Structures are given as C-alpha cells and as structure tokens.
C-alpha cells in the first residue's frame, strides 16, 4: 500500500516546540485583541418603523389596461391589475386579500401558485385603513434545498475533511456576524477589527479543516504574514490614491443611516477580509507542496525544495490573479456598465473613485498573494529540512543530479526545462 499523503508525517519534537512557541503567543494575542475590541453593545437601529411582512400564496392574477396618466397619456406602462393572495400570517391569516400587480424597476413577476411576501401598509390619517403590496417572492425553501445540496456534495466528496470544511465555513460566518460586523457597527475602527477578525478566522478554519500539524502551522504563519503585507499595502495604496470609501451606492447609503462609520477604514477592512479566502488557499497549497516534494524525494535540499515549490506557486498565482480580477468584476458589473455608458474620457473614468477603488482592491490583493508564495514556501522548506536532519542526522548528502532530474530541471549539461527558465 502507498503512503497516505493526506496526513503529513509528524514533525520532530524540536520543530514542534519551535512552532508552538511561535503560533501559541500569536493566537493568544489575537484572542486578547478580540476581547478588547469586542462590541459591548450593538449598533442603534436605523430610524423608521418596521413595516409588517407576512407570507402568502397567489391564488388569482387579473390584468387590465393601465389608466392614462400625465406621464403616459395613452395608458402605457404597467402591468396593471390586481393580485389575490391567500394570507398565511398576520391579522388577515386565512383570508383572501387583494393587492395591485407589482410594477416598476425590479418588481417581481407573480403567477398563480407563487409564494410571496406581503407588506402591510397603514394609512397615517386613519390607522384602521390598511392595504397590502407584494414585496418579493419567498425564497426560503429553494435556498434550504440549495444549501443542503451544497453541504451534501462537500461531505460526499471530502468526507471527514469536507465536514471539517463546513465547520470552518460556519465558524467564519459566526466570527463575521458575531464580531466583525457588530464591532464596526458599534463604532470601532474597521481596520483593527478586520485584522483581528481575519486572524481569528484563519486560526479556526485552517486548524479545523487541515488538522493541527507542522504543515498547517506553516500555512498559518504564512497567511498571517501575508495579511500584514496586504494591510500595509492597502493603507499605502488607499492613502496615495486619496480614496474616501464613498466608492459605491451602498457606502453612501450606509453613511446616511450610520454616520459614525469610518468608510475609509471599512474599505481597508473589505480588502483584508476579501484577501483572506484566497490567501489561505495559496499558503496551504505551498506548505503541502513542500511537504509532498520532500516525502517523494527525501534527497532534495532546502534550496531545491524552495525552487520546485515556487514553480508550483507561480502557476497557482497566474490563475488566481485572473480569479481575483474576474470576481471583483462580476460583483461590480452594474457599476462597470454604468461607467461604459459614461461620456467622459477613459482616463477620467479609470481614475474616478468608483473604478479606482476596484483597481486598488485587485492590485493589493494580488500583491498580498504574490508575497504569500515565497514567504510560505521558504518557511515550509526550513521546517521540512530541519525536521529531516533531526530525524536522521546520518543521512548522506543528496544526489544533486538525481534531484535535478526529479524536479524536471534535467541533469547538468542536459537540456533545461522552459519552466525553470521562465
């Protein structure tokens, strides 16, 4: 039977002690910082009353011509008519209520049998007079089935590792919803809250998903160092480009409802949190690559391990950079379409607050990823070779020719791989 490469060999005691002496204080410092920044009270709710919302099912749809208006003298527009809904909640539960057909940009299209959300509106002049409008469709059931399929696929493919990944995902959302967002909403500075929150997510997710090992500890240290680099670069880049954080409609709306939020710090926090998901992928891959290369060819030196794993990292980064840019572009398609329709020169569009913010996000995240590869690879090579020397101090020196041939570099005097030259 072959070796189980999913479980790295345990590191020698001296290496483990060194990693524990490094990782444990960092984790303790992260927990202390989280306790110091933990919100003591939630943010004040935004002004305005909560409009009652009730569930219902459409039983009838009647369309009719739209009446003429000053904007549409011929009665164009619409659709117009009434929708009959069987209310399932609220004071009219069990009754049939009538609502106008939803109209306007983004209005839901309803048919008989659709499950919808009713909004109960009360006349301010006469509270006894009320009316209903359809706000949106009920999405709970399809979302539950989609999440169940998502979880089942992960567990079926990844088994216990997949189950651990789901636990890490739950932990990430718990930290975001329980610490990061309430902390920023309570008026804390977004940057330190995001850094501490990202560090907490990193510790919990990496050790829960990949187990407590020297390989995971190397990935943790590489991720933490790359997060620091990302934070510094983000601070410098947003300062140099004079970004204010008002680069989206959501940020502007947030400033109206919660004026004490630092939108510039929130922009930096978003860059850090957004980079974390890709960073841990790169650092775990680099740490595992060094470990597997060392196990496949124990004769590789520290330098050979670093060079071989770095070539893997280059290929990974080349694809990940495109992933980052496309992810930001996909999330900002309405904004990009709006900018394309802009009549200003291209140079002015590219340097506008809206687009400059996305450029800074992509560039800083990519620079953080590039820094993660040599940092994690070098640390993994040092840990792997140090453990090897301690485990077998009498090992003969490696055969350089065999090592270079195994790495794809060819023997001395032979043809060199184009990848090594690249």
């Amino acid at each position: 039977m072959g070796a189980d490469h999913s479980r790295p060999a345990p590191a020698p005691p001296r290496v483990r002690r060194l990693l524990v002496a490094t990782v444990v204080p960092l984790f303790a410092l992260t927990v202390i910082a989280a306790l110091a920044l933990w919100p003591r009270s939630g943010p004040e709710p935004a002004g305005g009353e909560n409009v009652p919302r009730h569930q219902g099912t459409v039983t009838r749809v009647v369309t009719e011509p739209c009446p003429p208006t000053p904007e549409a003298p011929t009665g164009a527009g619409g659709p117009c008519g009434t929708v009959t809904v069987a209310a399932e909640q609220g004071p009219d539960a069990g009754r049939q209520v009538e609502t106008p057909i939803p109209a306007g940009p983004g209005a839901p299209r309803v048919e008989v049998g659709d499950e919808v959300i009713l909004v109960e509106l009360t006349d301010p002049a006469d509270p006894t007079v009320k009316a209903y409008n359809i706000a949106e469709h009920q999405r709970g059931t399809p979302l539950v089935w989609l999440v169940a399929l998502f979880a089942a696929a992960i567990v079926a493919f990844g088994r216990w590792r997949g189950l651990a990944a789901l636990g890490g995902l739950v932990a990430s959302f718990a930290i975001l919803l329980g610490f990061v967002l309430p902390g920023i909403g309570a008026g804390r500075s977004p940057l330190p809250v995001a850094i501490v929150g990202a560090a907490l997510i990193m510790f919990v997710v990496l050790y829960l998903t990949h187990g407590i090992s020297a390989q995971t500890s190397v990935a943790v240290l590489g991720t933490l160092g790359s997060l620091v680099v990302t934070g510094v670069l983000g601070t410098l880049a947003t300062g140099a480009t004079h970004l204010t954080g008002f680069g989206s409609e959501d940020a502007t709306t947030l400033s109206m409802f919660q004026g004490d939020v630092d939108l510039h710090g929130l922009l930096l926090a978003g860059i850090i949190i957004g980079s974390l998901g890709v960073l841990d992928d790169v650092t775990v891959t680099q740490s595992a690559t060094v470990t597997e290369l060392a196990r496949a060819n124990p004769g590789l030196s520290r330098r050979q391990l670093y060079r071989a794993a770095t070539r893997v990292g280059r290929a990974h980064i080349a694809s990940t950079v495109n992933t980052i840019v496309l992810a930001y572009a996909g999330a900002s398609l309405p904004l990009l379409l709006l900018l394309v329709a802009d009549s200003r020169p291209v140079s002015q569009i590219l340097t506008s607050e809206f687009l400059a913010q996305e450029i800074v996000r992509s560039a800083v995240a990519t620079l953080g990823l590039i820094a993660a590869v040599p940092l994690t690879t070098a640390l993994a090579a040092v840990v792997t070779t140090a453990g090897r020397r301690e485990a077998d101090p009498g090992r003969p020196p490696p055969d350089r020719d065999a090592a270079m041939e195994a790495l794809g570099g060819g023997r001395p005097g032979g043809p060199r791989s184009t990848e090594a030259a690249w």
Side-chain angles (χ1 to χ4, degrees):
M1 294 179 63
D4 181 8
H5 286 223
S6 64
R7 296 182 179 180
R14 183 171 65 88
V15 176
R16 290 201 302 268
R17 287 195 298 269
L18 182 60
L19 289 173
V20 168
T22 305
V23 173
V24 170
L26 291 174
F27 177 71
L29 184 62
T30 301
V31 172
I32 293 173
L35 294 176
L37 293 171
W38 201 274
R40 302 297 183 262
S41 60
E44 293 293 330
E49 295 185 21
N50 291 326
V51 180
R53 298 164 66 90
H54 312 299
Q55 297 181 3
T57 303
V58 176
T59 58
R60 186 184 181 195
V61 179
V62 178
T63 59
E64 57 188 30
C66 295
T69 62
E71 294 79 11
T74 60
C80 297
T82 59
V83 180
T84 304
V85 180
E88 301 169 1
Q89 296 175 334
D92 292 315
R95 300 178 184 175
Q96 302 284 332
V97 299
E98 284 194 353
T99 74
I101 293 180
R109 298 182 179 181
V110 296
E111 299 176 354
V112 174
D114 287 354
E115 297 180 340
V116 296
I117 300 295
L118 294 172
V119 175
E120 182 182 341
L121 304 175
T122 304
D123 187 352
D126 186 358
T128 62
V129 178
K130 61 183 177 181
Y132 289 99
N133 280 338
I134 295 177
E136 57 185 346
H137 286 89
Q138 297 182 39
R139 302 183 180 92
T141 300
L143 284 178
V144 168
W145 280 108
L146 181 61
V147 171
L149 178 62
F150 165 78
I154 291 179
V155 173
F157 183 78
R159 300 181 182 179
W160 288 110
R161 183 65 63 85
L163 190 61
L166 287 179
L169 185 62
V170 172
S172 297
F173 275 100
I175 294 172
L176 285 174
L177 299 177
F179 170 68
V180 177
L181 296 181
I184 295 175
R188 305 284 190 186
S189 178
L191 183 57
V193 170
I195 292 175
V196 174
L200 278 178
I201 292 173
M202 174 197 66
F203 279 113
V204 174
V205 170
L206 289 185
Y207 281 119
L208 180 62
T209 305
H210 304 284
I212 300 176
S213 65
Q215 177 179 309
T216 307
S217 297
V218 168
V220 165
L221 294 175
T223 304
L224 189 59
S226 303
L227 279 177
V228 172
V229 172
T230 302
V232 172
L233 291 176
T235 302
L236 295 175
T238 55
T241 53
H242 302 284
L243 293 179
T244 62
F246 287 84
S248 67
E249 185 178 349
D250 295 334
T252 304
T253 304
L254 177 63
S255 67
M256 296 178 182
F257 285 100
Q258 210 164 340
D260 59 343
V261 173
D262 178 11
L263 291 181
H264 179 263
L266 192 62
L267 172 61
L268 290 173
I271 293 175
I272 292 173
I273 295 294
S275 301
L276 177 61
V278 190
L279 275 177
D280 60 13
D281 174 39
V282 171
T283 56
V284 167
T285 299
Q286 290 306 112
S287 181
T289 299
V290 172
T291 302
E292 293 303 317
L293 283 172
R295 294 180 67 183
N297 191 343
L300 296 178
S301 67
R302 180 182 301 174
R303 182 178 180 182
Q304 290 166 344
L305 282 173
Y306 175 83
R307 294 179 63 183
T310 300
R311 286 199 289 272
V312 176
R314 290 195 190 106
H316 196 182
I317 289 296
S319 60
T320 305
V321 168
N322 195 45
T323 301
I324 292 176
V325 174
L326 289 180
Y328 283 133
S332 306
L333 276 182
L335 170 64
L336 295 178
L337 285 173
L338 182 63
L339 292 175
V340 168
D342 201 323
S343 59
R344 291 178 296 172
V346 175
S347 60
Q348 294 183 15
I349 295 176
L350 291 176
T351 56
S352 65
E353 173 91 9
F354 297 104
L355 199 56
Q357 180 171 295
E358 301 306 319
I359 294 174
V360 168
R361 286 180 191 272
S362 301
V364 170
T366 301
L367 291 173
L369 282 180
I370 294 174
V373 171
L375 178 61
T376 308
T377 305
L379 185 58
V382 169
V383 170
T384 301
T385 53
R388 182 176 62 199
R389 286 198 301 271
E390 181 175 337
D392 189 5
R395 181 183 299 275
D399 183 352
R400 175 176 174 81
D401 292 351
M404 292 302 295
E405 186 175 15
L407 290 173
R411 291 181 176 273
R416 297 183 59 83
S417 90
T418 57
E419 171 65 16
W422 180 82

